Amino acid sequence: MIYDSEKLLVLAGPCSLESLETCRPVADTLAALQQKHPELNILFKGSFDKANRTSIGSDRGTGMEAGMEIFQTIKAEYGFKTITDIHTPDQCATVGEVVDALQIPAFLCRQTDLLVAAAATDCAINVKKGQFLSPYEMEFVTNKLEEAGAAEIWQTDRGTTFGYQNLVVDMRSFSIMAGNGHPTIIDATHSVQIPGGAGGISGGQREYVAPLARAAIAAGANGVFLETHPNPEKAISDAASQVPLGEFPQLVESLLRVWQAVRCSTGGDS
C-alpha cells in the first residue's frame, strides 16, 4: 500500500514532464519538503503525453520512452514513488513497470477497458472524477476497479463543469466519495482551469489554488494533487494554473497545518 492514513498524501510535479532539466528542481524542492516533514507522503507526478490538449497544434510533451527515462532517473536519484496518467489500455502494462501509480484522466474515468487494464497492473490507481459526473456516480467507477482487482484505489475531484469554461468544486464530494471506501484527493490546480478559455488553450486562476486546497483538506480530503513548475509562464501546458515552484513549500506547509488541525478535531484519520 502506498497510501498511509497517518500522512498527508501529496501528488506533485510539473504538468508535463517536459525535460529532466524541468523535473530536477521540482524534485529537489519536494525532497526538501519530505525531509523536513515526515508526515507528508509525496509522490512525484508528471505527464509523458498530454493527449487531451485543446488544440491539435499544442505540444504534447516527451512521449512514453523519454518520459519513462525521466521517471527512472527521478526514482533512482531521489527515491520518490511516481505517478503518471495513461490514456489507452495498451499503455498500462508498459508504464506500470516503471511508475508506482497510474492515473485515469477525468475525461476517461468511465472507459471500462482502460480501468480494467490499469487494474491488472500492480500499481495504485488514482481515478479522477469526470467533470460531467456527480460524486455519487464514482461508486460505479470504483466498483469497476474493485471487480478488476486493483491493488489500491484513490479518488480525485478536479471540479465539475458549471456552465461554459468554468469549474466548481463541491466540498461535499469528499464525504460522498469517502463512502466508497477509498481515499479522496483534491486536484487543486486543474480545478482552477478555464477549459479551452484562452484562445485554443486552457486558461486558469492560480490565485484560487490555495483556498480550494485548504477548504478540501478541511472538508476531509485525504490528499492533494498540485502541479508546480520552476517558471509556469514558460510551461508547455497549464501555464496559468501551475503553482510557481518558489511558492510551493509555503503552500504545502499551510495544507499540512490544516490536515493536522482536522486530525486533532476528529481524533484520527479524517
Side-chain angles (χ1 to χ4, degrees):
M1 291 283 289
I2 297 174
Y3 175 69
D4 181 346
S5 63
E6 298 299 315
K7 298 183 178 183
L8 176 62
L9 182 62
V10 178
L11 313 181
C15 180
S16 170
L17 290 169
E18 294 189 12
S19 67
L20 195 54
E21 289 69 32
T22 294
C23 292
R24 271 208 176 100
V26 176
D28 287 337
T29 298
L30 297 180
L33 269 171
Q34 184 68 84
Q35 184 173 16
K36 183 179 180 181
H37 299 288
E39 59 272 50
L40 295 174
N41 182 8
I42 299 176
L43 276 71
F44 183 90
K45 65 81 48 187
S47 297
F48 63 87
D49 181 15
K50 302 302 298 180
N52 56 354
R53 302 301 306 274
T54 302
S55 170
I56 196 170
S58 296
D59 191 337
R60 289 178 56 165
T62 64
M64 184 186 295
E65 183 176 351
M68 294 306 102
E69 289 177 359
I70 290 174
F71 278 124
Q72 288 171 330
T73 299
I74 294 296
K75 287 165 69 76
E77 293 186 2
Y78 296 91
F80 281 122
K81 293 187 183 304
T82 54
I83 179 170
T84 194
D85 42 322
I86 38 84
H87 297 86
T88 59
D90 62 288
Q91 293 176 339
C92 294
T94 300
V95 176
E97 291 179 356
V98 176
V99 302
D100 303 279
L102 297 176
Q103 187 163 271
I104 308 296
F107 289 131
L108 301 178
C109 70
R110 288 180 50 161
Q111 297 298 106
T112 301
D113 290 345
L114 181 61
L115 294 170
V116 170
T121 70
D122 293 328
C123 296
I125 309 300
N126 180 34
V127 59
K128 292 191 175 183
K129 181 186 76 64
Q131 300 94 322
F132 46 87
L133 291 184
S134 76
Y136 297 101
E137 294 164 87
M138 284 297 285
E139 173 188 358
F140 304 104
V141 176
T142 57
N143 279 350
K144 289 182 182 180
L145 289 168
E146 291 167 353
E147 290 295 320
E152 186 173 353
I153 301 167
W154 310 333
Q155 309 165 90
T156 294
D157 193 339
R158 57 144 298 160
T160 300
T161 300
F162 187 73
Y164 294 129
Q165 298 173 338
N166 197 23
L167 300 168
V168 296
V169 179
D170 182 352
M171 293 299 160
R172 298 174 299 177
S173 294
F174 304 102
S175 293
I176 294 167
M177 293 193 300
N180 299 330
H182 304 287
T184 62
I185 299 167
I186 171 67
D187 178 347
T189 41
H190 285 114
S191 291
V192 303
Q193 278 187 335
I194 302 172
I201 62 174
S202 291
Q205 297 172 303
R206 72 165 58 90
E207 64 269 27
Y208 298 124
V209 169
L212 270 179
R214 288 194 290 262
I217 296 298
N222 306 111
V224 60
F225 175 106
L226 294 165
E227 292 184 333
T228 183
H229 192 282
N231 189 349
E233 287 70 25
K234 293 186 177 180
I236 69 169
S237 57
D238 288 1
S241 55
Q242 294 195 68
V243 177
L245 187 59
E247 301 173 12
F248 191 77
Q250 182 178 2
L251 170 59
V252 172
E253 287 172 341
S254 75
L255 300 179
L256 184 57
R257 290 192 294 271
V258 175
W259 179 79
Q260 290 168 332
V262 170
R263 286 179 62 80
C264 287
S265 67
T266 60
D269 186 12
S270 60

